[in-house]
Amino acid sequence: MKNTPAPVHYRVEAASLHAHLYRVTLTVDQPAAPQCLALPVWIPGSYLVREFSKNLQRLTAHQDSRPVTLRQTDKNHWEADCVASRPLVLTYEVYAFDNSVRTAWLDTQRGFFNGTSLCLRVQGQENRPHAIEVLSPQAHWEAATGLTPHKVDRRGFGTYLADDYDELVDCPFELGPFWSAQFKVGGVAHRFVVAGAPRSFDGARLIADTHKICETAIRFWHDRKRPPFKHYVFMLNAVDDSYGGLEHRNSTALICGRRDLPRAGDARQSEGYTTLLGLISHEYFHTWNVKRLRPAEFARYDYDHENYTQLLWFFEGFTSYYDDLLLRRCGLIDDATYLRLLNKTINQVMQAPGREVQSVAEASFDAWVKYYRQDENTPNATISYYTKGALVALCLDLTLRAQGKATLDDVMRALWARCKGGPMTEADLAATLKALGGRAYTRELAAWVHGTRELPLRPLLEGAGVQVQEDAAALQQSLGLRTADSSGVIQIKTVLRGGAAEQAGFAAGDEWLGIEVGGEGWRIAKLDDLTLYAGTHRKLTAVVARDRRLLRLELSLPVGVTTWRLSVGKTERVRAWLTGAA
Ligand SMILES: [Zn+2]
C-alpha cells in the first residue's frame, strides 16, 4: 500500500460482465476510528434523489488482512470499526445496468460509470487527493475520462488522479471498443469518443461540426483567451432510441439515437442531427454556465440530500437559449431553422397551462419533486425551467438590444467576471443587468422569473424583425388533450386545464373508443378519425372506457385555438440579433 499515489485509492475492475457487476477496492491510507463512508444519493446536474446505494452489495472491510466490523447507519452510510492510521481496505460490488448518463453500465459490449455510483466517499478526507485505477474488462477495450492520467497504458487503462472527491465524481469513464478522435480548440486538446456507432457513421463531419461549436463557445466567454480547462472529452453513447446529456467540469456524457448520427456520403442535415448538435452545444456551454458560474447553493455539493436552488431557470434556461443560438452563430443552422427551433420552445410553453400556476423560480426549487417526477398532471401544475427559462433569456436579450446599451452576451461575460467564474446569486444577475443595461431590471425579473403572467414575446420578436403568424392548432391542442394512439386505441395521457376535453369530463387513462354524432355511432382508432366522422358537427358524444366502465361524455369541439409560426420578417434586424452583433 506504500506506493499508492493518493491517500484515498479506488481500484475498479469488472467482477462479471454477464452479471453487470463492477468490483471496487477502496484503500484509505489513514482512516479515522471509526471511519464513516457514504455513497451519494444524487448526481449533480440531474436533480433527483436516485439512491445509488441500492446497487451496492457485498461490502466488506479489512485492516492488516483482518476483517473489520462494518455497521450500516442509514440507507447510504456505513461505519468501519477500524484502528486509526493503518490502511483500511474496503471491497464491494456495484450492479451497473442503467443505460443512461447518470449511473453506470457494464456488459460485454461497453462499460460506463460515474463516480457517484461507484466511489464511496471517505468522510473527513473529501478534500484530499483521490486516485482511481481502472482495469481493462476486455483485451481490446479503451478508456476515456476527463481525469488527469497518472500512470496509464496507451489504451487509457491505469491510474488517474483527482484533487478531491468532487473532481473524482465529476469525471465519468467510458470503457469499450469505441470510435475516437482528437482535435484542438483554443489551444486545448478535445477528444470525442462514440460508443455504438453504426458503419455509416461520418465521424469526420461530427468532429468538424463540434469543432465549430467549441470555437464559438470559447469565443463567447473569453474572446481569444484560453478556456478554464486543460482538456475536454465528449463521451457519446449511440443507441437505438434515446436522448440526453449530463454536463461535467471538463467532459460530458451524451446519449443519442444511432439514426441521429451523420452518415457518410449524405450531406443533408437531418432534424435528428441538428438536435444532437444542439445537445453538444448545450452541454459544452454548461462547462461555464453551471459547472463554474453556478448557484451559490452549489458552491459545495451535499451528496446526501437534495440541493435546492431557485436558479435553474438561469443555468438550464439560459443554456437552452444559447445552445441553438450558438449553432446559428457558427453557421450550422440558418435563420429559418433557428426560428423553427425557437418556435417549438414558444409553443411548448404556451401549451402548458402550468405556466399560470408556477413561476420558473418555483419550478427550479421544486425540480426534485416536480420536473424530475413527471406525471399526467405535470403540464397543468408546472412549467419547465428549460423552456420558459430560455424564453426569459430571449426576452432579456431582445429588451437589452432594443435599448441599445448591451446584449445578453455582454451580461453573461460581465457576470462571469463579477463572480470570477464561481458561485452566483440572482442579485449578481440583477446588478449586472443594471450596470450594463443602464437601468434596473427589477420589474422584468419580478414578472418574468417570479411571476406567472405571459411574457411579452410578440412585441419583442416583432421588434427584432421576426414575423409572428397564428395557425390553427393541431386537434390534440384544440381539444386540450395529450394522447398516445397505438394499436388502434386512443389513450388519454393528459387532460389540459381549462380545455374542451376537461369540460367534457375526460380523465387521464381513459381509452377513447368511439363517437356518436348526427345519429350515428363510430368506433375511432386515432384522433384524426374525429374529423373524418364528425364532419362539420361541433357537438358530439365521446364514448370512453375508464376502469372498464363505459362513459358517455358530451364534447363541444372548440374553434379558434391557434399556435404561433415565426418567420424572418425584416432580414437585417433578425440577422443582427442572430449573428451576435449588438
Ligand atoms: Zn442542461
Side-chain angles (χ1 to χ4, degrees):
M1 296 303 150
K2 286 278 184 306
N3 44 17
T4 56
V8 179
H9 179 274
Y10 303 82
R11 191 177 73 219
V12 174
E13 59 201 311
S16 165
L17 299 176
H18 292 183
H20 319 293
L21 290 172
Y22 285 103
R23 179 178 299 114
V24 183
T25 308
L26 162 58
T27 306
V28 187
D29 280 354
Q30 294 179 307
Q35 176 62 56
C36 190
L37 302 135
L39 198 68
V41 303
W42 69 290
I43 180 165
S46 184
Y47 307 104
L48 179 67
V49 170
R50 293 182 190 274
E51 316 289 25
F52 300 126
S53 62
K54 73 178 178 192
N55 294 317
L56 189 148
Q57 61 188 32
R58 292 181 191 264
L59 176 62
T60 62
H62 287 84
Q63 219 168 12
D64 297 329
S65 309
R66 278 193 298 274
V68 167
T69 308
L70 278 165
R71 199 163 60 85
Q72 185 165 6
T73 52
D74 67 19
K75 65 183 182 184
N76 65 321
H77 286 79
W78 292 263
E79 224 172 60
D81 190 14
C82 57
V83 183
S85 303
R86 300 186 68 82
L88 170 68
V89 180
L90 297 122
T91 64
Y92 51 96
E93 293 174 349
V94 175
Y95 176 68
F97 200 54
D98 170 23
N99 201 2
S100 83
V101 294
R102 308 177 198 107
T103 54
W105 173 268
L106 184 66
D107 74 353
T108 54
Q109 306 302 304
R110 175 182 174 253
F112 172 81
F113 67 86
N114 286 286
T116 38
S117 281
L118 255 61
C119 299
L120 281 172
R121 181 165 50 93
V122 180
Q123 285 197 358
Q125 303 207 22
E126 293 91 339
N127 297 328
R128 305 186 74 185
H130 286 54
I132 184 165
E133 181 188 4
V134 180
L135 306 186
S136 181
Q138 303 247 57
H140 59 296
W141 284 19
E142 290 187 68
T145 180
L147 281 177
T148 307
H150 172 66
K151 216 173 152 184
V152 303
D153 64 21
R154 76 197 149 71
R155 291 188 291 123
F157 289 99
T159 305
Y160 290 84
L161 290 178
D163 282 345
D164 50 26
Y165 184 78
D166 283 333
E167 185 183 4
L168 177 77
V169 300
D170 199 15
C171 297
F173 276 79
E174 175 71 32
L175 315 172
F178 47 65
W179 180 93
S180 170
Q182 313 250 16
F183 57 101
K184 228 173 185 183
V185 199
V188 170
H190 286 61
R191 185 181 191 193
F192 209 126
V193 305
V194 184
R199 279 184 189 283
S200 62
F201 171 53
D202 184 352
R205 182 170 175 194
L206 182 68
I207 295 304
D209 292 347
T210 303
H211 190 285
K212 286 182 194 163
I213 293 169
C214 297
E215 206 166 32
T216 309
I218 293 172
R219 197 170 313 140
F220 176 93
W221 289 100
H222 307 292
D223 199 15
R224 308 228 162 257
K225 290 209 287 287
R226 268 177 184 253
F229 43 87
K230 291 198 185 72
H231 58 126
Y232 191 94
V233 190
F234 292 95
M235 289 172 255
L236 172 62
N237 182 23
V239 297
D240 181 50
D241 182 24
S242 190
Y243 173 78
L246 194 56
E247 65 277 6
H248 299 285
R249 63 181 64 190
N250 68 336
S251 65
T252 180
L254 310 164
I255 188 163
C256 79
R258 291 191 186 100
R259 286 165 195 82
D260 298 340
L261 291 172
R263 292 178 207 186
D266 185 352
R268 285 171 303 175
Q269 186 155 322
S270 69
E271 211 168 300
Y273 183 47
T274 302
T275 307
L276 172 60
L277 292 175
L279 178 68
I280 290 168
S281 176
H282 182 96
E283 303 304 345
Y284 196 66
F285 198 83
H286 270 319
T287 314
W288 291 267
N289 201 38
V290 92
K291 292 314 301 187
R292 287 179 176 77
L293 191 63
R294 61 189 187 274
E297 296 85 354
F298 291 0
R300 201 72 212 250
Y301 296 123
D302 175 352
Y303 295 103
D304 287 332
H305 307 100
E306 291 87 347
N307 287 206
Y308 296 100
T309 174
Q310 284 200 358
L311 283 176
L312 295 181
W313 59 270
F314 179 83
F315 291 99
E316 288 300 349
F318 282 41
T319 300
S320 298
Y321 174 61
Y322 278 110
D323 57 21
D324 290 338
L325 194 53
L326 293 197
L327 293 189
R328 168 64 195 88
R329 289 196 189 159
C330 63
L332 289 170
I333 56 174
D334 59 16
D335 293 346
T337 305
Y338 176 75
L339 289 183
R340 195 164 45 70
L341 295 171
L342 179 62
N343 205 149
K344 207 170 139 192
T345 304
I346 291 175
N347 283 333
Q348 279 171 347
V349 171
M350 304 225 289
Q351 290 167 8
R355 76 189 185 285
E356 295 173 0
V357 176
Q358 195 187 40
S359 70
V360 281
E362 291 168 335
S364 302
F365 200 83
D366 269 342
W368 301 85
V369 292
K370 293 191 173 172
Y371 186 83
Y372 274 91
R373 293 179 193 236
Q374 304 212 356
D375 61 22
E376 77 289 343
N377 194 41
T378 296
N380 291 325
T382 73
I383 188 65
S384 160
Y385 48 80
Y386 283 88
T387 49
K388 191 180 169 188
L391 299 185
V392 170
L394 170 75
C395 288
L396 279 173
D397 198 9
L398 296 183
T399 306
L400 287 159
R401 284 169 186 276
Q403 311 220 330
K405 292 212 165 54
T407 69
L408 192 62
D409 306 356
D410 303 324
V411 170
M412 298 301 285
R413 285 187 284 264
L415 248 180
W416 175 268
R418 177 187 167 96
C419 302
K420 300 181 178 66
M424 68 162 259
T425 63
E426 192 181 317
D428 289 313
L429 174 64
T432 309
L433 282 166
K434 190 175 179 184
L436 272 66
R439 65 167 175 86
Y441 276 73
T442 324
R443 211 164 32 86
E444 283 85 353
L445 291 176
W448 303 347
V449 172
H450 298 277
T452 55
R453 275 178 300 148
E454 301 290 2
L455 299 170
L457 289 166
R458 186 189 281 260
L460 287 171
L461 283 167
E462 287 173 347
V466 176
Q467 211 174 359
V468 182
Q469 285 160 289
E470 290 190 33
D471 292 340
L475 193 53
Q476 281 206 31
Q477 194 56 32
S478 296
L479 292 169
L481 275 178
R482 297 207 183 150
T483 63
D485 29 294
S486 59
S487 54
V489 176
I490 305 171
Q491 193 92 38
I492 310 296
K493 293 289 173 199
T494 282
V495 178
L496 295 171
R497 185 62 21 84
E502 187 191 63
Q503 266 159 29
F506 280 87
D510 286 355
E511 288 173 342
W512 191 349
L513 303 175
I515 56 170
E516 293 165 7
V517 62
E520 299 177 327
W522 294 96
R523 176 78 170 85
I524 58 170
K526 49 188 187 305
L527 219 49
D528 275 350
D529 291 349
L530 210 61
T531 33
L532 174 68
Y533 296 118
T536 54
H537 287 269
R538 304 312 303 175
K539 285 189 185 302
L540 54 87
T541 303
V543 180
V544 304
R546 184 183 307 163
D547 189 29
R548 299 277 168 195
R549 286 177 204 273
L550 293 183
L551 306 179
R552 299 171 80 249
L553 311 174
E554 300 310 318
L555 176 67
S556 299
L557 299 180
V559 280
V561 181
T562 59
T563 55
W564 282 17
R565 182 153 51 91
L566 307 184
S567 56
V568 178
K570 299 193 175 71
T571 314
E572 308 292 275
R573 268 146 85 186
V574 170
R575 195 57 52 85
W577 160 42
L578 296 187
T579 55

